[in-house]
Structure formats: structure tokens, C-alpha cells
Amino acid sequence: MAENVTIKKLGKTPLDPISVGRQYYSELRVYVKEIKDLIELYLVPEVSTLLTNAGYNRPSTDSQKSRQDGYGQDIEEIIDQIRDLFGTQYTEVEIAAMASKYATLTELFNQKQFEKSLGGSPDFGLSLARSTAFVSDELQAFTLENIKLIKSIEAKYLEDVQGIVTRGVQRGGLVKDIQKDIRSRYGVTKNRAKLIARDQTAKFNSTLTRLKQESVGVQLYQWSTSLDGRVRDSHSANEGRVFSWNNPPSTGHPGEDVACRCVAIPILEFEE
């Protein structure tokens, strides 16, 4: 925290990029539903057959050691089929385009809020923040990271349902119970996609805010929360306090914590 600072001129409060995060999530929700539809079409109807075939291959003693696990290969083949079909719906190029789109949209949102926060102050060169090399570097970094995260949504979803079916067949579970457990992963996966969209846009916005403010000479900022019941206690404690970009608080800078909605108001003039 920057102690003993008197604020002489405070910038305007920028918005956090929740609108961009919602748009990103809307696309990821479609992405997740495509996987769910393939699971419903190719895996869910096969649960009964998988259980039946596994039963045929087990000796009457049901000895764990002598059990033949050929059904594991059957499950693997179904998952591979779903993965291959999904790959034709969402190619590498399409996934990269989605990640790049939200890198660009977040940066455009951030630039607008950045200019608003400085209020057109003649003491700061607004063009500098847009022209510096770090913007393109950060766009690329966000894109590459989010390509990995988008792909991980599919990988984790299919890994989870494969595990559910494998364990269900191993213990000779009921068809309806296994199918219910498979379907439960849809909601879990949607929630993870929502967190990725919200968290990634917030973190990227935070990084751009810091770099742009620093690039025009802003050294300090005032922490601003959303002032609602969802704000973490540790972030509420930062409300209205002054921090330096080169000395972050224990919470990290605004927007750096998971799904943080806080923002940094630039301090344009101050006295120590």
C-alpha cells in the first residue's frame, strides 16, 4: 500500500469487462452443448450394452483378479469416436479464432475504459498505450493460453464421463444411475466454462490496465470494488485504498484474483 499519499487528481472509475466475459461464455456454452449432444447420442445409449457385455465376460465368482476388462476398450473407442466427431465441428482453426476474438474484444473494451479513466487529461499521452509493443504481445499470450483452456474443457468433460462409465460398469451399477451421473457432468462443465470466460477476461483486462497506466506514467491507483455482497472480504478491505503498481497488495492487483470484478482507478496527481 502507498502510505501517506494525498490524492490531488483522481481519474474516472473504469468498468470491469463482465459484458465481454458473458459474451465469451455464451460461445463456450454452445461449445459445451455440442459435446453433451455427442455424449447423449453415442455414449448414453450404450451404457446398457456395456454393462451386459461386461457381465458376460465375468466369471460367476466375480473375482476382481480374474475379471476381464474388455469393456474398458469399448468405452475408450466410444470416447475416441466422440472426440473425433467433435474435432470436425470445432477445428483447431475455429478454436484459435474464438480465443483471438475474445483477446481483441477484451482489449477494445479495456482501451475504451482506459481512455475514460484518464478523462482526456493532457498530461498523459493516450496514443502511447495503444502503440506500444506490449499490446500485441499480450494479445498473443491471451490467445495461446485460451486455446489451451478451451481445449481443456472438452478433454476434462470426456475424461470425466469416461471415468463415470468405467467405474459404473466395474461395480455393476444400474443403467439409469450411470446415465444420471453422465448427465450431471454437463452442468459441472458449463460452470467451468463460465469461470474460464469470466476469469480470463478479468485477468487480461487487469494486465492491460496495469501496463497501459504504467506506460503513460501512472504510478498509483485507488482500489474500487463492486460494492455488493459478492465481494471477497479481503477485497472489501482494499476498497478506496491506494496502491502502487510496482508493489501489489497480498490480494494481487484488481482483477488478478480468480473472477475478481475490482478495478483500478488511476491517480493522476498526488503528493507524498
Side-chain angles (χ1 to χ4, degrees):
M1 180 176 178
E3 302 285 355
N4 302 319
V5 169
T6 299
I7 299 174
K8 296 183 66 178
K9 186 176 181 180
L10 185 66
K12 296 181 179 180
T13 306
L15 299 176
D16 90 295
I18 190 168
S19 59
V20 183
R22 284 172 176 163
Q23 188 177 345
Y24 189 6
Y25 173 52
S26 70
E27 288 204 38
L28 289 181
R29 194 167 59 233
V30 174
Y31 178 90
V32 172
K33 187 177 183 300
E34 292 290 344
I35 307 170
K36 188 265 289 185
D37 289 346
L38 290 171
I39 290 170
E40 285 286 345
L41 184 61
Y42 292 98
L43 178 61
V44 172
E46 294 300 316
V47 172
S48 178
T49 301
L50 290 165
L51 279 165
T52 300
N53 291 344
Y56 286 150
N57 289 331
R58 291 171 181 167
S60 58
T61 59
D62 198 29
S63 169
Q64 192 71 29
K65 290 184 178 180
S66 63
R67 182 177 296 175
Q68 299 178 32
D69 289 327
Y71 62 83
Q73 183 62 39
D74 294 337
I75 297 169
E76 182 74 36
E77 288 175 359
I78 294 171
I79 294 296
D80 285 344
Q81 181 184 20
I82 292 171
R83 188 179 291 112
D84 290 344
L85 289 168
F86 185 71
T88 66
Q89 297 176 9
Y90 279 91
T91 64
E92 295 273 348
V93 172
E94 289 169 323
I95 291 172
M98 188 193 306
S100 178
K101 174 182 177 179
Y102 287 99
T104 300
L105 287 177
T106 305
E107 196 281 323
L108 289 172
F109 177 93
N110 177 268
Q111 181 66 20
K112 183 177 179 179
Q113 296 304 311
F114 171 70
E115 294 178 7
K116 166 191 167 183
S117 70
L118 295 185
S121 174
D123 299 325
F124 297 92
L126 294 179
S127 61
L128 177 61
R130 205 79 191 274
S131 62
T132 46
F134 70 76
V135 173
S136 59
D137 289 344
E138 294 301 327
L139 285 166
Q140 183 181 43
F142 176 94
T143 299
L144 292 174
E145 176 65 14
N146 278 261
I147 288 172
K148 293 178 184 177
L149 288 170
I150 293 169
K151 288 180 177 180
S152 77
I153 294 171
E154 176 214 2
K156 184 69 166 64
Y157 194 178
L158 293 180
E159 177 186 344
D160 285 351
V161 296
Q162 182 173 358
I164 286 167
V165 177
T166 300
R167 290 187 295 273
V169 172
Q170 283 175 339
R171 63 175 179 260
L174 297 175
V175 172
K176 65 180 181 65
D177 289 341
I178 297 173
Q179 291 174 335
K180 180 181 177 181
D181 289 343
I182 292 171
R183 290 177 174 131
S184 72
R185 300 315 297 176
Y186 176 49
V188 172
T189 306
K190 281 199 300 181
N191 287 338
R192 180 167 180 263
K194 184 176 183 178
L195 178 60
I196 286 172
R198 181 72 190 96
D199 183 58
Q200 286 296 299
T201 51
K203 280 183 168 60
F204 189 37
N205 185 70
S206 175
T207 297
L208 292 172
T209 296
R210 174 177 60 82
L211 292 173
K212 288 180 181 181
Q213 287 192 17
E214 288 181 328
S215 74
V216 296
V218 174
Q219 304 172 45
L220 307 177
Y221 66 85
Q222 185 179 71
W223 189 292
S224 178
T225 73
S226 300
L227 296 174
D228 60 31
R230 291 188 291 151
V231 177
R232 298 171 177 87
D233 289 344
S234 59
H235 291 200
S236 291
N238 289 342
E239 171 65 30
R241 297 172 70 184
V242 175
F243 297 97
S244 170
W245 283 118
N246 63 15
N247 186 25
S250 60
T251 56
H253 293 304
E256 290 184 346
D257 214 343
V258 177
C260 174
R261 297 171 297 143
C262 301
V263 294
I265 307 174
I267 296 176
L268 306 181
E269 294 180 27
F270 65 92
E271 288 182 351
E272 297 184 275

